[in-house]
Amino acid sequence: FTSTREMEIIKDNLSRIKVPGVGDKVFKDECFYSFDSPESPTGLYVCLNRWLGVGERFLSKYSNRTDNKVFLHIKRTRKEAKEEPEGVPEKVSRLAINMDGGFQTDKGVEWDEECKVVVLPNKDTFDITNPDLPMGVNLAIAGIRTAVSANKQAAIDAAQGTWDGEALVISKHAENLIQNPNPPKIPPKGWKCEFCDLTCNLWLNLTDGKIACGRKFFDGSGGNNHAVDHYKNGGGGGPLAVKLGTITMDGKADVFSYEEDDMVLDPYLEKHLAHFGINVTSCEKTDKSMVEMEIDMNQRIGEWAILTESGSKLVPLSGPGRTGLH
């Protein structure tokens, strides 16, 4: 039930009601003073002036201190889980939590959301579809409901810098990388290691254009170390190499620096690839990045199972040099 008096309070406070824009922080996941949230029994009240979430216990105190009287009340109720047959789990493609392609902890959880306009001091409520609500209130409600919450945005920003791998730095070799004259032209596909028969996990040396396989992993997979050996053994290779198959149309790819012994950024990658006739605008990602390979490795039963060679058929060995630690 809505009274004329409460509607007058809304109209009197219309100048204080603000519509959040792009980049504005909207705190709609948790109370500014407590751990109350929209999933709490009393829900969460979001101030239409400051976009701060306030729990019911602190609502009157907050209103008296700020003189803000109009709030959006958000209340979520968890739906009963539906029993679904287990299928093939969605493949994880990035180191992130509750983000597209990442590890999901809330998969299958659904919520019913109820929103009301609440006016203090009497906590009278209006349905958000009430035709008598001023346009400014409707716009503020729509802005709050569609905005990415400040907490979620902070989590996304943190995930981009942490869960997607360590922050890469620009290689000290990138700007003045030496590239040999008369380089080989690299085809768009059909690559093969020039030192063995491997056709995957291949790296193009950005100095001399040699294509060689990557490092051998601790579980025996990967390459035969030919790319790094080509550089370390003085075969003419330079310090930077790009993993073939990870080059995308926007000029991104896995780049490794042998001298810095780390994955790096090469802001001049497009120019360095053009030296070998590679046009990044026509490139398509066909191989796993190093992050994706690391995720796959961690998902294979578990790291301990890999270390103990669980599931592998082992050949008994004994005798001198076959037991103990090296």
Side-chain angles (χ1 to χ4, degrees):
F1 176 80
T2 60
S3 67
T4 303
R5 179 176 176 275
E6 301 303 324
M7 187 63 75
E8 288 299 323
I9 293 177
I10 292 178
K11 293 179 179 179
D12 290 343
N13 285 269
L14 202 54
S15 61
R16 303 173 63 90
I17 294 174
K18 299 178 181 178
V19 180
V22 177
D24 288 329
K25 293 183 178 181
V26 179
F27 296 87
K28 60 177 182 177
D29 285 341
E30 192 172 78
C31 173
F32 200 67
Y33 304 101
S34 68
F35 294 107
D36 284 353
S37 71
E39 291 83 39
S40 299
T42 56
L44 190 71
Y45 298 80
V46 181
C47 175
L48 296 192
N49 173 256
R50 297 185 176 183
W51 314 311
L52 293 179
V54 183
E56 188 171 76
R57 291 176 296 163
F58 300 92
L59 187 59
S60 296
K61 181 178 179 180
Y62 172 84
S63 178
N64 292 334
R65 288 186 58 186
T66 63
D67 202 31
N68 292 319
K69 303 181 185 303
V70 187
F71 298 81
L72 174 65
H73 182 230
I74 305 175
K75 178 72 174 71
R76 296 196 193 107
T77 305
R78 187 167 183 164
K79 293 182 179 180
E80 292 187 10
K82 298 178 180 178
E83 293 187 4
E84 297 181 358
E86 293 186 2
V88 178
E90 183 179 350
K91 184 174 177 60
V92 175
S93 60
R94 63 186 304 207
L95 290 169
I97 297 177
N98 289 335
M99 296 173 62
D100 290 342
F103 298 92
Q104 302 298 324
T105 62
D106 58 358
K107 188 175 181 181
V109 177
E110 295 183 358
W111 302 85
D112 283 322
E113 183 176 273
E114 182 182 14
C115 293
K116 300 282 187 181
V117 176
V118 175
V119 182
L120 268 63
N122 296 332
K123 294 183 183 177
D124 285 344
T125 62
F126 291 73
D127 194 278
I128 60 173
T129 60
N130 190 310
D132 295 330
L133 288 174
M135 178 63 69
V137 175
N138 290 327
L139 292 175
I141 292 172
I144 291 172
R145 296 188 69 190
T146 58
V148 177
S149 72
N151 290 352
K152 185 174 182 180
Q153 187 60 53
I156 292 173
D157 293 341
Q160 289 175 340
T162 303
W163 289 97
D164 280 340
E166 297 178 0
L168 302 181
V169 298
I170 297 176
S171 171
K172 63 181 181 181
H173 302 289
E175 184 174 2
N176 299 310
L177 181 69
I178 296 175
Q179 294 189 285
N180 295 350
N182 303 316
K185 296 301 178 183
I186 305 301
K189 56 183 179 179
W191 312 296
K192 175 179 169 296
C193 177
E194 297 185 27
F195 304 95
C196 68
D197 295 327
L198 288 181
T199 57
C200 60
N201 192 18
L202 300 177
W203 295 78
L204 169 69
N205 193 286
L206 292 176
T207 291
D208 63 0
K210 286 285 186 181
I211 297 176
C213 59
R215 300 174 190 258
K216 183 182 292 292
F217 299 139
F218 63 85
D219 67 340
S221 63
N224 294 315
N225 296 326
H226 287 143
V228 63
D229 289 345
H230 174 61
Y231 168 74
K232 290 185 174 180
N233 296 338
L240 298 185
V242 60
K243 187 178 183 185
L244 294 173
T246 68
I247 306 169
T248 60
M249 296 177 63
D250 55 1
K252 295 180 180 179
D254 280 0
V255 179
F256 191 85
S257 172
Y258 296 118
E259 184 177 325
E260 295 160 285
D261 195 26
D262 207 350
M263 301 295 295
V264 295
L265 294 176
D266 179 4
Y268 308 94
L269 181 60
E270 187 172 349
K271 181 185 76 171
H272 293 155
L273 292 173
H275 184 71
F276 302 102
I278 298 177
N279 181 5
V280 297
T281 59
S282 61
C283 289
E284 182 180 354
K285 186 175 181 296
T286 58
D287 201 358
K288 294 179 180 178
S289 67
M290 297 304 293
V291 169
E292 291 170 329
M293 292 179 68
E294 183 178 345
I295 292 174
D296 283 349
M297 192 74 67
N298 290 338
Q299 285 189 319
R300 288 178 52 189
I301 305 175
E303 292 188 13
W304 178 249
I306 297 175
L307 291 171
T308 57
E309 298 182 272
S310 176
S312 301
K313 185 176 181 180
L314 304 181
V315 179
L317 294 175
S318 61
R322 296 185 182 274
T323 56
L325 299 175
H326 290 279

